[in-house]
Amino acid sequence: MMIAQPDAQGHFGPYGGRYVPEVLMAPLEELEKAYLEARRDPAFQAELNDLLTNYVGRPTPLYYAKRLSAMLGGAKIYIKREDLLHTGAHKINNCIGQALLARRMGKKRIIAETGAGQHGVATATVCALFGLDCVVYMGEEDMRRQRLNVFRMRMLGAKVVGVSSGSRTLKDAISEAMRDWVTNVATTHYLLGSALGAHPYPMMVRDFHRVIGEETRRQILEHEGRLPDVVFACVGGGSNAIGIFHAFLDDAGVKLVGVEAGGRGAELGAHAARFSGGSPGVLHGAHSYLLQDSDGQVALTHSVSAGLDYALVGPEHSWLRDQGRTEYVSATDREALEAAKTLAHTEGIIPALESAHAVVEAVRRAPSAKDRLFVINLSGRGDKDTDIYRENMKELDEPDQNRPAL
């Protein structure tokens, strides 16, 4: 198996680790101990699996996109429908697991960060389910872009704290959440939303999302009698991607392709493509590929998608990329918007803008991949992005007689 677990210090090769203030070392060690015990506990796993089935809505379908495949005239494309989960995205897998873990540790208060809002909604959901206090930090720019999810979090009982520093996006929300945790470690669990941060978070979040790939592997064998040729997933921090990739790491014939945010262009500050524009560095407790300037300062990022504009990529992704096991490309804002329209018009599925980045690369490669099997991990649905879609597709708000033909 390609590296299944990080080493004792939380490293995947040279990446990962714990680069945090001394005050956070004890709670991270407590969390690691509790998680490793829970992972071996049949009762914990049984409760987790029951909730994933009867509350979250697993397994999600692996859907054959017949019209999209026919239109492209090459690969046969399947879509893993994480968008059909309760709350509308894959984030709930990890949130259910970490909420159970927080309860096991006796933590009554949960804090979280969110960019696109889906992790915040999932966190607020599980806190309501388990009767836990919930505070979600969110950059003010993301709050503007994701007003619907801000309302959903508040309706679920969470306190949403706007962050006005820096770029007012995900990086800044994580910084504020970590400041809160430093102050309230005795009573509070930080429910980190992606496969990044200090050890054990990259390992733990990945493990809670591995169900995506495990289901996909079984389902594609049932549908086609063989494994896919290529699996595509968008990569912000990298949780949905590592979740679907992990079940195929031993299968050399399965290409694993992550798609980052190409934003508006190649210049620093206009995108969030860490592998094409970044270099190894440290942010929020982990060493990985990072967008930074010549002085080592964390660079500003941009993506039309609020969930992909984080400056660091999860450390396991960096390790797998160095080993040549995974490939990373990028898709621009414009390409993602066009891919979202294509999927909506051909399959009646409006994707989250994050997921639309993965659709871009599958659509790009499919025509020249006759009889190949593609799987796209559709990590979330597009309801949350309606305001962004409207901003960028103004023609769809025009009366029918004024709109151009599709």
Side-chain angles (χ1 to χ4, degrees):
M1 179 82 172
M2 292 293 296
I3 217 159
Q5 302 299 340
D7 66 20
Q9 287 73 45
H11 289 95
F12 298 91
Y15 306 108
R18 282 183 182 144
Y19 297 87
V20 295
E22 186 64 31
V23 69
L24 287 181
M25 290 301 290
L28 284 167
E29 289 167 357
E30 175 195 22
L31 177 61
E32 180 185 15
K33 180 175 184 291
Y35 173 63
L36 293 177
E37 289 174 353
R39 193 166 65 178
R40 296 189 296 266
D41 183 351
F44 179 91
Q45 294 299 326
E47 186 173 10
L48 173 62
N49 290 333
D50 177 71
L51 285 165
L52 289 175
T53 300
N54 296 307
Y55 184 74
V56 173
R58 304 212 70 92
T60 57
L62 183 67
Y63 166 70
Y64 171 40
K66 185 176 181 179
R67 292 194 67 234
L68 179 64
S69 300
M71 182 192 78
L72 296 170
K76 190 173 186 179
I77 300 173
Y78 282 86
I79 299 174
K80 182 59 171 166
R81 297 294 307 276
E82 294 297 286
D83 60 309
L84 295 179
L85 290 175
H86 180 42
T87 73
H90 73 291
K91 296 292 188 180
I92 191 75
N93 303 319
N94 169 54
C95 289
I96 286 283
Q98 286 201 52
L100 288 173
L101 195 59
R103 189 183 68 182
R104 185 184 181 99
M105 294 188 295
K107 307 289 186 180
K108 304 294 187 183
R109 178 175 181 266
I110 302 294
I111 58 173
E113 84 300 325
T114 196
Q118 287 303 106
H119 174 62
V121 169
T123 299
T125 297
V126 299
C127 286
L129 179 65
F130 291 117
L132 302 168
D133 292 336
C134 181
V135 177
V136 179
Y137 290 92
M138 190 172 191
E140 289 181 348
E141 171 62 14
D142 289 338
M143 291 180 72
R144 182 193 68 80
R145 294 194 286 181
Q146 299 291 341
R147 290 177 295 175
L148 174 61
N149 275 343
V150 173
F151 182 85
R152 292 170 74 196
M153 285 182 269
R154 289 172 174 162
M155 187 170 181
L156 289 160
K159 179 181 179 182
V160 182
V161 179
V163 179
S164 59
S165 59
S167 60
R168 300 180 298 138
T169 57
L170 182 59
K171 171 180 70 69
D172 313 291
I174 293 176
S175 296
E176 286 301 316
M178 291 185 73
R179 290 188 189 100
D180 184 320
W181 197 26
V182 166
T183 307
N184 300 289
V185 291
T187 60
T188 298
H189 172 66
Y190 179 15
L191 206 166
L192 185 60
S194 197
L196 42 81
H199 179 67
Y201 282 106
M203 169 185 70
M204 182 173 65
V205 174
R206 176 204 68 195
D207 286 352
F208 286 135
H209 284 305
R210 284 178 61 182
V211 64
I212 305 171
E214 290 164 357
E215 286 178 8
T216 302
R217 186 185 178 90
R218 291 195 300 270
Q219 291 166 326
I220 196 68
L221 288 171
E222 290 169 2
H223 284 303
E224 295 288 342
R226 70 180 185 91
L227 296 178
D229 296 292
V230 192
V231 176
F232 300 92
C234 65
V235 181
S239 61
N240 90 90
I242 205 68
I244 197 168
F245 288 173
H246 228 264
F248 300 101
L249 290 179
D250 278 343
D251 304 300
V254 180
K255 184 180 284 293
L256 306 173
V257 179
V259 186
E260 298 183 286
R264 294 184 294 246
E267 63 274 15
L268 195 63
H271 64 86
R274 286 69 48 99
F275 288 121
S276 60
S279 57
V282 173
L283 180 63
H284 294 142
H287 178 253
S288 190
Y289 270 78
L290 172 68
L291 290 170
Q292 53 191 325
D293 64 21
S294 57
D295 296 322
Q297 298 299 305
V298 178
L300 294 176
T301 57
H302 164 78
S303 173
V304 71
S305 163
L308 294 187
D309 61 356
Y310 185 59
L312 188 93
V313 70
E316 191 168 5
H317 284 288
S318 292
W319 174 243
L320 291 170
R321 186 251 197 180
D322 281 4
Q323 301 306 300
R325 182 61 191 94
T326 49
E327 176 188 356
Y328 298 88
V329 297
S330 63
T332 67
D333 290 351
R334 184 174 296 280
E335 289 171 331
L337 290 162
E338 286 301 316
K341 283 198 287 189
T342 297
L343 189 62
H345 293 170
T346 58
E347 297 295 342
I349 298 170
I350 301 174
L353 269 166
E354 293 87 346
S355 310
H357 286 70
V359 176
V360 169
E361 191 64 18
V363 168
R364 182 183 290 149
R365 299 188 187 200
S368 60
K370 188 70 174 174
D371 298 325
R372 310 289 276 176
L373 285 180
F374 283 6
V375 171
I376 303 169
N377 193 27
L378 200 75
S379 56
R381 67 175 181 241
D383 310 42
K384 69 180 180 62
D385 292 317
T386 299
D387 285 345
I388 302 176
Y389 282 134
R390 291 184 70 188
E391 287 176 14
N392 289 276
M393 302 176 185
K394 295 185 185 300
E395 71 279 5
L396 300 185
D397 271 337
E398 294 291 329
D400 284 353
Q401 64 267 26
N402 295 339
R403 283 196 279 121
L406 298 178

